[in-house]
Structure formats: C-alpha cells, structure tokens
Amino acid sequence: MFGYEYSPESFLAGAFTVPGEGGDWTLALEFGGDLGTRPSIMEALSTGTRAVSHSSNGGKPMDFFHWYEDGELRTTFEWLANRTGSTPDELNAVMREVGLNPMGDEDPDVDTKAAVFALAERLTGVRVTEELLAEAEYQTGEVPEDPVEEWKSITIDIADAHGERTYVQLRRDQL
C-alpha cells in the first residue's frame, strides 16, 4: 500500500463490486483489521442478504470463517470441528466437496486456506483470483479500530484509480 503508514488505531480497507450469485457483490479486503469478525457489523451487512467473511492470522494456521444470512450467524469456525452458529452443520456436505473435513481431521494434501476460499465461493458465486484482485478498481478508506462515541460530521475523501478525488464533508444534521 503506497503511502500508507500503519496506525494501531485504524486499518486500511478496500472494496470493489464483483459479479456473483444472484447479482453484484461487494468484495472487501482489509489489512490488519477484523471487520469481518465483528458480529454487529456482519449482522448489519447481511440484513436482507448474505455476508461471508474469512480471514487468516498473519500466516499462522488459523482460518476464520463466518456465514451470515439476513442478520443471523449461520456457521462460523476457526477449527473445522468446532463450528457454531444457528446452523453449524448445514455446510458439512459442501465442506467435504471442497476438501475440508467437518470432523476436523485435516488432509495434509489439502490447502486449508484455498479450501476456505472455495467454501466462500460456493456461498457467493465469487471466485477470488489474482487477476480479479489486480484489475479491480478499489474504493479505499482508513477504518478506525474503535467506533467514535459521538460524531458531528462525516468526511468522504476518495481518490479513484485515475486519481480523481471526491471530497465531501456533511454535518450530522444534513444526513
């Protein structure tokens, strides 16, 4: 990320629109954050639709997965055998199809990270490829780690892939 300096109070996120199952989806990538693991955010994002997130912990063998449907956490896991949510076993057949063993016994020939990507693809119809990530036109922003208690205005400051800048500041009473 050119020009981005790490701040412990925030992290960088980028999003773009991509075709998937049932229409367009928003694919968001975040660096150093945990938006996709926060229940309040995922519940809100999935209201009336589906939201899927997965992440890893800096190269460690930890692959987190979360599937929300209409504000409800359906299936989540860090370790395959320890699934929770309202329907923790609903994806078992699909997990097996992509090489994941719901009982937790890992096959050393299966790339777990790739299999978790394949599981997300089955739920969204979005295949994440190197080409997709390289050619996307991202909308980026810095996300604060802790929410602001009281706010008076919001600032939208976005530069697109062509360097065109959009800057708007709106007071709370204008919204």
Side-chain angles (χ1 to χ4, degrees):
M1 299 284 105
F2 303 101
Y4 178 72
E5 294 186 27
Y6 173 75
S7 166
E9 292 85 32
S10 64
F11 56 90
L12 184 65
F16 59 93
T17 302
V18 60
E21 183 179 316
D24 285 344
W25 286 72
T26 299
L27 180 65
L29 302 175
E30 57 180 305
F31 304 94
D34 64 353
L35 286 178
T37 65
R38 295 182 188 182
S40 61
I41 291 172
M42 293 299 288
E43 288 166 3
L45 283 175
S46 69
T47 300
T49 190
R50 174 179 291 166
V52 177
S53 75
H54 57 95
S55 60
S56 350
N57 189 1
K60 297 178 179 129
M62 300 165 66
D63 297 294
F64 303 95
F65 179 85
H66 309 278
W67 166 37
Y68 284 80
E69 197 82 35
D70 197 19
E72 177 184 9
L73 176 60
R74 302 289 298 276
T75 303
T76 185
F77 61 83
E78 174 184 348
W79 308 107
L80 295 170
N82 297 327
R83 295 175 311 284
T84 59
S86 64
T87 60
D89 298 326
E90 186 171 341
L91 299 177
N92 286 3
V94 178
M95 290 172 73
R96 285 186 194 93
E97 288 173 13
V98 299
L100 298 171
N101 182 343
M103 302 315 292
D105 300 324
E106 292 188 30
D107 181 340
D109 295 329
V110 171
D111 179 340
T112 304
K113 191 177 305 301
V116 172
F117 265 98
L119 180 60
E121 180 182 345
R122 294 289 182 95
L123 289 168
T124 64
V126 175
R127 177 172 285 218
V128 178
T129 64
E130 183 177 349
E131 181 181 39
L132 176 73
L133 297 176
E135 293 179 3
E137 291 190 26
Y138 292 85
Q139 298 294 318
T140 61
E142 192 170 350
V143 180
E145 190 63 42
D146 293 317
V148 176
E149 292 281 332
E150 185 66 34
W151 56 277
K152 295 181 178 24
S153 67
I154 62 168
T155 301
I156 300 168
D157 189 357
I158 300 171
D160 68 16
H162 306 288
E164 295 293 320
R165 184 173 179 211
T166 300
Y167 181 90
V168 178
Q169 189 167 31
L170 300 168
R171 293 184 320 271
R172 187 177 189 150
D173 64 332
Q174 291 176 299
L175 300 172

